[in-house]
Amino acid sequence: MDLATLQALNAARAGRRAAVVFTDLETDRSVLCVEGERCADEWIDAMTAALRSGKPGMIMAGGRSLFLNVYLPPPRILVVGAVHISQALARMAAVAGFDLTIVDPRTAFATAERFSGVELIAEWPEDVLKARPLDRFTAVVAVTHDPKIDDEPIRVALAAGCFYVGALGSRKTHASRVERLRRLGVSDDALAQIKAPIGLDIGAASPAEIAVAILAEIIEALRRRHILSGSEAHR
């Protein structure tokens, strides 16, 4: 890989942007394609598949053999709410390869004893997000049932294009949430992205089962996420 390509790749990785390096196996020439930037038309389908799976591979394009190396930002989960579901989800997320942070300003819930070994921040989510901006490789899970805590991180997550935004609550609870967010200026298209009731419909009942359903839905959203085209990158 030449120096210019390596520098561009490092910049993409520092900015938590997904990228694929195409290497011609005959000439050893490498070309970097960053998600949301222009890529050769004959490579787009292969790039899209690689960005979803995260797996390297080979393709034939234009009569040439190309090796694809994929660089994805480590996926993160931000959980808003230090509740029983969060305790189970934290253990499972680590096994599935996700970095996880729990944010809850309620210090009676956000204790080290309840969340040993988990990054736990006992502050208001809007304050945390000023220092830790969300991105397209972050999933946001809102589970406090308190609009004062949940609503703002949901709004910010939708604006940031997070690959998953889920919120705990019944359909009635979610309908009220939608109306509040709409009054804050969130579009109907964005509101439709919220997964609520949260988690895949597997009949989950206990906190651990609900955590399984949430994590499964997050994985599904990550592997089937919308891949940005060049025209969408800087909207």
Side-chain angles (χ1 to χ4, degrees), residues 44-227:
I44 290 175
D45 289 346
M47 179 176 175
T48 298
L51 289 176
R52 287 209 175 103
S53 71
K55 296 178 180 180
M58 291 182 59
I59 63 167
M60 289 293 297
R64 295 177 295 162
S65 295
L66 302 174
F67 179 75
L68 283 66
N69 215 344
V70 188
Y71 299 87
L72 298 179
R76 304 185 297 201
I77 301 175
L78 175 71
V79 181
V80 180
V83 299
H84 292 309
I85 293 170
S86 310
Q87 290 176 303
L89 182 58
R91 295 192 294 271
M92 297 174 190
V95 174
F98 290 88
D99 295 329
L100 182 141
T101 300
I102 296 174
V103 177
D104 195 326
R106 302 171 300 179
T107 54
F109 293 90
T111 66
E113 292 76 18
R114 298 182 68 230
F115 293 93
S116 177
V118 179
E119 184 179 28
L120 180 65
I121 305 175
E123 299 177 19
W124 284 91
E126 53 262 45
D127 295 330
V128 174
L129 295 181
K130 291 174 183 175
R132 297 188 177 199
L134 301 174
D135 57 42
R136 291 177 52 78
F137 283 86
T138 304
V140 172
V141 176
V143 289
T144 72
H145 263 309
D146 186 338
K148 296 189 302 297
I149 302 173
D150 284 349
D151 283 4
E152 181 60 13
I154 291 173
R155 185 192 68 78
V156 174
L158 293 173
C162 290
F163 76 87
Y164 177 88
V165 183
L168 189 67
S170 66
R171 287 177 173 80
K172 181 178 179 181
T173 296
H174 184 57
S176 298
R177 176 187 297 123
V178 165
E179 287 305 314
R180 292 193 305 271
L181 292 170
R182 187 177 283 125
R183 288 195 295 270
L184 292 174
V186 180
S187 71
D188 287 344
D189 286 346
L191 292 169
Q193 303 303 310
I194 303 172
K195 301 294 186 181
I198 199 169
L200 294 182
D201 185 5
I202 58 173
S206 70
E209 289 175 350
I210 295 170
V212 168
I214 293 171
L215 184 58
E217 193 170 52
I218 289 172
I219 293 170
E220 178 185 49
L222 178 64
R223 295 307 175 197
R224 296 179 178 174
R225 71 184 185 88
H226 172 68
I227 305 300

